[in-house]
Amino acid sequence: MSKDKRTAIGIIQLTRIGDVIQTYQAAKQLKSENPDIELTLIARKEFAAGLGFLLGEVFSHIIFIEIQDFISSPAATLSEAKSAIRDLVSDINKLDLDVLVNLSFSKSSEYLASMITAKHKLGLTRNSQNQISIEDSWSQYVFSTVMNSESNPFNLVDLFKNILGAKKFSPVYSEKSRNDYIVIHPFASSKKKHWGANKWIDLCYKILKENPQQQLYIVGSKADQFNANTIAESPALRDFSERIDNVVGKTSIEETYNLVSDAKLLVCHDSMVSHLAAVSQTPTIVLSLGTVRPSETTPYHENVLNLAPKRKCFPCKVQEKCELLPCHKDISHQLVSRLVRAIIDQEKLDAKFFKEEVSPFYLQNVGIFAPHFTEMGMDLIDITQSSQTVQDVFKTFYKIVWSFYFKEHELNYAIPELSKESLATLSEYSKGCSYIYELYGFGMKYSNAVIDEAKKAQPSIKLIQENISKMGEIDQLCTVTKKTFPLLTPIVDFFFVNKANARGKNIVEITQSNLISFYDGQNMIKVIYDLIDSITKDALSREQIKEV
Amino acid sequence: MSIQEEIHKAMNDLQKKNSNDLNISKEDMTLLFLTSLLEEEAPNVKR
């Protein structure tokens, strides 16, 4: 190998356009911190080809994948398909990658990552027993928590930055002049995630009526043309037809990006266009509905308002059926149009604004979140300062404990005010913490017993097996506990995945890794217990003062 | 035999191999990659 060879990093991102843009944002930060590295992106052609104008800034090589590369015609054989895959892998291996990072968390990406040769691998791969293998802790976190729970407090761009090893976690804002038009993107990848045409018609009517200087552009893909026409050609909007420009299906992604870049404001659902606006830092109002998790996918910049329903079933899961879509009614078009006017008129969106300018009726079932960046990345702050739920409080707990676990950052947050009902639920959770604490304590005991026995000159295999089986029982009991205390799921799942990927070449080394996992898990659950304790004690003392 | 039938047969063989705790090879990985890519490209599959 030549001494001058630059560090070559390959990134696999086989998921959708939004994820590719978020990957680009994280990779751009890494590249700006390490200009000498050579980055390669491996992505699906259908999701990444249209983003060439952005990706080219950061990636030296972009390798597109599509099924037609392997099955070129109906007459193709399996042997030909496999040969084409081998050729692809061989071409990638010619890049002599130092590090391969799989950021996509999909089955196909796991197998692709396994076939590619690299000195180090991060993210999901498959081992020779066809089991998922994850070496790095951040990817273990994403796999165990982001995919399975609503308690993840981190934005995906921050998670990608952490996996890649970037150091800076707040985007630099640059002022730019903007034109007098608003862009709307009233679509999303599933029915659950977007309002129907009628609510958008109501919103467009109010926006156009209240902001007479503004032109309105509707953007979207060819697949959205029918719905776009329903909105643009609605009789209710006839008087404003000259101020509506329906360009749905007529612009490339690059043209859409340019249009959004110069806009005064974008109003949309959680979608690819919201992430394009993050790149150009266009002020954006996002309406999060259905399966969307605002803390994960809020566009990664400061000029965003993210409106999200406040109801127990939000966010729901992709596989859950919902015909009535109740969360769609939680965000009113009147509230959105008031926020549009406030942004256009540069009003200050503080507690006074929401008290004096917005009817409490519109704020009843909705949280309005704005990003705030710290050394750990994006935090979403509820700017209406409405009371927090137990779920919100646990999200903050997790931000504190994960930030310390992964980066030894100590974060400080004010003690939240909770309703009596929420305090009672929180208080119940201290029992769950005690159970897990005790179980992890037993885990440490059995791990030590295995290590001590295995180190003996003539170890008892029976004794080792007994203790290993007891450790298996701990996992089962933790699973039972998390069913009763679902908000403790992230800790139980993370340490389960962490232990399953324990490092070591022999039983002593692997059990030593497990011992550390149990120890870390116990410390983490203790911190959560202490946080619950301090909130409930604080509430109790305030209650006593009131009584006096 | 169509490529779909070939893939189906090859996956059955691989499952037998896997259930007998035999290691999977790089060649097997190409098949698993292809089938997972086909699954993910099927219509209506969403994240």
Side-chain angles (χ1 to χ4, degrees):
Chain A
M1 192 177 75
S2 148
K3 272 186 184 175
D4 298 331
K5 181 186 176 291
R6 298 201 291 169
T7 302
I9 300 176
I11 298 177
I12 301 176
Q13 179 52 272
L14 299 188
T15 33
R16 303 176 76 85
I17 304 181
D19 301 77
V20 178
I21 299 170
Q22 288 167 303
T23 299
Y24 154 82
Q25 288 176 287
K28 189 176 179 182
Q29 182 59 39
L30 182 74
K31 180 84 178 167
S32 75
E33 290 169 13
N34 308 278
D36 290 336
I37 56 171
E38 190 178 86
L39 291 176
T40 298
L41 177 70
I42 304 160
R44 293 265 182 90
K45 193 175 183 181
E46 65 170 310
F47 299 138
L51 293 170
F53 66 100
L54 286 178
L55 301 174
E57 289 172 17
V58 174
F59 295 98
S60 311
H61 313 278
I62 303 170
I63 297 167
F64 293 125
I65 288 178
E66 62 176 341
I67 201 78
Q68 288 82 351
D69 295 340
F70 315 124
I71 304 176
S72 52
S73 75
T77 64
L78 179 58
S79 157
E80 285 166 353
K82 283 163 102 177
S83 163
I85 292 170
R86 281 195 298 273
D87 289 347
L88 167 81
V89 173
S90 158
D91 284 346
I92 297 172
N93 285 343
K94 281 179 195 152
L95 295 168
D96 192 16
L97 296 175
D98 295 287
V99 186
L100 178 69
V101 191
N102 178 11
L103 291 181
S104 21
F105 299 87
S106 68
K107 236 181 184 184
S108 59
S109 68
E110 292 159 15
Y111 291 119
L112 183 60
S114 310
M115 291 187 289
I116 296 170
T117 308
K119 292 182 187 74
H120 304 281
K121 290 188 185 180
L122 303 174
L124 275 68
T125 61
R126 292 270 173 160
N127 64 19
S128 57
Q129 277 91 45
N130 199 15
Q131 294 159 327
I132 293 173
S133 165
I134 320 167
E135 292 257 330
D136 62 300
S137 311
W138 274 110
S139 298
Q140 288 173 3
Y141 171 80
V142 176
F143 180 71
S144 62
T145 302
V146 179
M147 333 269 289
N148 303 316
S149 120
E150 277 81 54
S151 300
N152 165 47
F154 299 108
N155 187 281
L156 265 186
V157 177
D158 286 327
L159 289 169
F160 289 166
K161 280 185 183 178
N162 277 311
I163 295 172
L164 290 171
K167 293 182 184 74
K168 200 164 172 290
F169 285 82
S170 52
V172 180
Y173 179 68
S174 33
E175 281 289 341
K176 66 172 278 188
S177 63
R178 299 186 176 278
N179 296 332
D180 272 339
Y181 64 82
I182 296 167
V183 175
I184 64 162
H185 179 244
F187 316 107
S189 57
S190 78
K191 191 183 161 192
K192 278 184 178 182
K193 287 161 74 170
H194 67 93
W195 275 348
N198 288 346
K199 281 201 89 163
W200 275 101
I201 292 167
D202 290 342
L203 177 62
C204 291
Y205 178 86
K206 270 191 92 67
I207 290 177
L208 289 161
K209 195 173 173 212
E210 291 172 359
N211 303 278
Q213 304 299 316
Q214 304 297 323
Q215 188 79 12
L216 197 71
Y217 280 90
I218 310 176
V219 298
S221 68
K222 279 199 170 72
D224 303 317
Q225 268 176 328
F226 177 81
N227 288 329
N229 291 343
T230 309
I231 297 171
E233 291 161 17
S234 157
L237 300 178
R238 196 166 291 149
D239 289 349
F240 304 108
S241 58
E242 282 184 7
R243 286 167 55 208
I244 300 175
D245 234 320
N246 176 9
V247 295
V248 173
K250 294 173 195 158
T251 53
S252 65
I253 294 178
E254 185 170 3
E255 286 162 342
T256 304
Y257 172 78
N258 291 333
L259 194 64
V260 169
S261 285
D262 292 334
K264 201 146 253 182
L265 176 68
L266 167 72
V267 188
C268 60
H269 293 292
D270 179 275
S271 65
M272 173 269 279
V273 180
S274 67
H275 297 298
L276 278 181
V279 176
S280 61
Q281 299 182 320
T282 303
T284 304
I285 296 177
V286 184
L287 315 177
S288 293
L289 299 170
T291 54
V292 174
R293 297 172 187 179
S295 46
E296 275 170 34
T297 57
T298 290
Y300 197 75
H301 67 126
E302 281 184 339
N303 291 319
V304 181
L305 288 182
N306 199 330
L307 278 60
K310 278 197 163 177
R311 67 169 55 235
K312 278 189 178 164
C313 63
F314 176 83
C316 57
K317 294 202 162 58
V318 175
Q319 60 274 23
E320 284 169 355
K321 281 192 175 171
C322 180
E323 294 300 326
L324 296 173
L325 304 168
C327 67
H328 289 212
K329 297 177 188 84
D330 291 337
I331 304 176
S332 70
H333 71 273
Q334 291 94 334
L335 172 64
V336 182
S337 71
R338 183 66 191 91
L339 293 172
V340 167
R341 187 147 55 90
I343 292 171
I344 298 291
D345 296 346
Q346 296 184 320
E347 291 177 74
K348 197 174 176 191
L349 296 173
D350 53 12
K352 188 171 173 270
F353 171 86
F354 288 103
K355 199 176 168 193
E356 293 174 4
E357 300 289 330
V358 184
S359 157
F361 181 71
Y362 299 139
L363 294 172
Q364 213 170 10
N365 296 322
V366 67
I368 304 177
F369 299 94
H372 168 72
F373 285 88
T374 68
E375 58 196 321
M376 280 305 292
M378 184 194 280
D379 247 349
L380 275 186
I381 310 292
D382 185 346
I383 55 170
T384 59
Q385 296 176 345
S386 59
S387 66
Q388 292 195 24
T389 62
V390 178
Q391 236 169 350
D392 297 332
V393 173
F394 261 88
K395 238 179 218 178
T396 309
F397 287 172
Y398 283 123
K399 188 106 190 186
I400 294 169
V401 293
W402 295 126
S403 299
F404 192 78
Y405 177 77
F406 288 118
K407 304 186 111 180
E408 295 192 9
H409 279 321
E410 287 188 40
L411 302 179
N412 285 312
Y413 289 92
I415 291 179
E417 279 202 36
L418 292 173
S419 65
K420 275 192 176 171
E421 193 193 13
S422 298
L423 274 170
T425 312
L426 197 63
S427 200
E428 271 298 297
Y429 265 89
S430 42
K431 280 186 208 160
C433 291
S434 301
Y435 297 150
I436 303 273
Y437 182 88
E438 211 173 320
L439 288 169
Y440 285 167
F442 279 118
M444 286 161 65
K445 186 180 152 191
Y446 300 139
S447 302
N448 276 321
V450 171
I451 294 164
D452 290 345
E453 192 58 35
K455 278 182 178 170
K456 285 181 184 168
Q458 285 183 318
S460 156
I461 303 296
K462 189 171 172 269
L463 205 66
I464 289 174
Q465 278 174 340
E466 272 172 16
N467 281 297
I468 288 175
S469 132
K470 281 177 186 167
M471 285 201 269
E473 285 169 25
I474 289 172
D475 286 334
Q476 286 169 9
L477 290 168
C478 282
T479 306
V480 173
T481 310
K482 81 174 185 187
K483 278 184 185 155
T484 316
F485 301 97
L487 292 170
L488 298 180
T489 300
I491 287 198
V492 173
D493 285 355
F494 174 78
F495 285 104
F496 182 79
V497 171
N498 188 252
K499 282 191 278 111
N501 288 280
R503 286 175 197 185
K505 295 184 196 79
N506 53 48
I507 190 157
V508 174
E509 286 179 13
I510 291 170
T511 316
Q512 276 167 340
S513 293
N514 280 340
L515 177 65
I516 293 169
S517 296
F518 282 125
Y519 176 77
D520 287 340
Q522 202 184 40
N523 278 337
M524 205 174 271
I525 208 81
K526 171 80 170 69
V527 174
I528 291 192
Y529 179 91
D530 289 344
L531 288 167
I532 293 174
D533 194 46
S534 57
I535 290 175
T536 45
K537 273 188 184 151
D538 177 74
L540 198 67
S541 65
R542 273 187 283 131
E543 199 60 35
Q544 281 165 351
I545 290 167
K546 266 188 208 167
E547 280 172 18
V548 169
Chain B
M1 190 157 52
S2 72
I3 188 163
Q4 280 82 5
E5 287 167 332
E6 272 192 275
I7 290 172
H8 188 70
K9 187 180 173 301
M11 281 301 283
N12 276 342
D13 293 345
L14 186 58
Q15 268 161 10
K16 277 180 206 157
K17 186 177 170 182
N18 216 205
S19 59
N20 289 329
D21 283 341
L22 291 171
N23 282 358
I24 56 164
S25 62
K26 286 222 162 180
E27 189 66 16
D28 297 330
M29 287 279 184
T30 58
L31 174 68
L32 289 162
F33 170 63
L34 182 67
T35 48
S36 52
L37 203 59
L38 283 166
E39 266 173 39
E40 289 161 20
E41 290 222 339
N44 304 321
V45 174
K46 297 225 182 304
R47 270 187 70 218

